[in-house]
Amino acid sequence: EPEVTQTPSHQVTQMGQEVILRCVPISNHLYFYWYRQILGQKVEFLVSFYNNEISEKSEIFDDQFSVERPDGSNFTLKIRSTKLEDSAMYFCASSEQASGGNEQFFGPGTRLTVL
Amino acid sequence: AQSVAQPEDQVNVAEGNPLTVKCTYSVSGNPYLFWYVQYPNRGLQFLLKYITGDNLVKGSYGFEAEFNKSQTSFHLKKPSALVSDSALYFCAVRDQNTGGFKTIFGAGTRLFVKA
């Protein structure tokens, strides 16, 4: 069964450093998303991406964040200058079609620890 | 604005007994509603969704949920719980009218099924 994959599984970084989290969505999916889950808290929407541009973003997704689909398979989330409060589990997701009723398929997540 | 409430942090049930995990939502238009499950150290897995039509939807692993528009609820149910159902369950909503793909998740309900 096709699945979303994410690398690395765990990333430790120093405050102020840049990190890139990588995701490989399911191959025939067209919509891509990033969510984060701070330990013990709810899953929060960050951004959705379609046709090589951001389709929607939350207030969390400020200028420190960016997303990119550098090739036909990868989808990345970059945090330019990490802060302690960026420590969280980051989930990538993808969905097949344009209809908003399509469910999203989630990757296993990357645990980001900012020291 | 969209919101989701899961009023119970935790639900305890004995194996073989029916279970209910509650969810209420708020959207300005008509909702797409979803349930996801998260096992330890894993990403979210889709269980079921309500798009339109029959208010009772059936999903994976014997779960079902009932959409109640007047009560703005979408409670998750299963007639007979298994120990393996123990996990974290998230209700999620997307507003059909916004045209976007921002999905709002509830805070999650931890289900413990005791043997």
Side-chain angles (χ1 to χ4, degrees):
Chain A
E1 186 177 326
E3 58 183 17
V4 176
T5 59
Q6 290 184 244
T7 54
S9 57
H10 192 185
Q11 174 88 48
V12 180
T13 190
Q14 296 291 325
M15 189 170 55
Q17 294 297 303
E18 174 184 286
V19 295
I20 298 176
L21 310 182
R22 291 182 168 82
C23 167
V24 179
I26 294 173
S27 61
N28 64 332
H29 285 186
L30 301 176
Y31 287 80
F32 315 112
Y33 314 83
W34 283 101
Y35 293 84
R36 78 174 185 189
Q37 185 180 30
I38 295 172
L39 186 64
Q41 298 186 27
K42 64 169 63 177
V43 176
E44 300 173 294
F45 171 82
L46 292 178
V47 66
S48 61
F49 190 86
Y50 170 69
N51 199 27
N52 283 320
E53 60 183 26
I54 291 172
S55 52
E56 195 162 5
K57 62 182 180 180
S58 72
E59 57 278 2
I60 302 169
F61 195 88
D62 60 21
D63 292 344
Q64 292 300 311
F65 292 88
S66 62
V67 289
E68 190 177 32
R69 188 156 163 81
D71 53 43
S73 58
N74 289 284
F75 179 52
T76 62
L77 174 70
K78 181 192 289 186
I79 309 175
R80 289 190 181 81
S81 178
T82 50
K83 302 188 283 283
L84 295 176
E85 54 264 38
D86 293 326
S87 295
M89 193 74 147
Y90 288 80
F91 292 106
C92 173
S94 67
S95 63
E96 187 174 3
Q97 293 181 16
S99 165
N102 268 256
E103 64 270 25
Q104 295 170 17
F105 292 80
F106 284 77
T110 293
R111 183 171 298 283
L112 177 65
T113 302
V114 182
L115 303 176
Chain B
Q2 305 165 57
S3 67
V4 177
Q6 293 182 242
E8 303 152 315
D9 292 336
Q10 185 171 309
V11 170
N12 297 312
V13 65
E15 189 173 34
N17 284 359
L19 69 88
T20 299
V21 182
K22 295 179 180 177
C23 171
T24 58
Y25 66 91
S26 175
V27 295
S28 57
N30 291 317
Y32 295 124
L33 292 157
F34 306 83
W35 275 101
Y36 289 86
V37 60
Q38 184 180 32
Y39 296 99
N41 302 314
R42 300 287 298 277
L44 281 71
Q45 296 177 36
F46 169 76
L47 274 180
L48 50 79
K49 65 182 177 183
Y50 171 81
I51 305 302
T52 187
D54 195 348
N55 289 343
L56 183 65
V57 294
K58 294 186 184 296
S60 307
Y61 312 118
F63 284 93
E64 58 188 30
E66 186 164 14
F67 171 62
N68 187 317
K69 188 171 183 177
S70 63
Q71 296 185 5
T72 60
S73 67
F74 190 57
H75 301 332
L76 180 71
K77 300 183 180 185
K78 187 174 182 180
S80 179
L82 299 172
V83 172
S84 57
D85 293 330
S86 298
L88 188 56
Y89 290 81
F90 291 95
C91 181
V93 67
R94 193 181 300 149
D95 190 332
Q96 293 188 26
N97 293 356
T98 62
F101 295 84
K102 181 177 182 178
T103 302
I104 302 300
F105 284 80
T109 298
R110 191 165 297 280
L111 173 67
F112 285 105
V113 181
K114 189 175 179 181

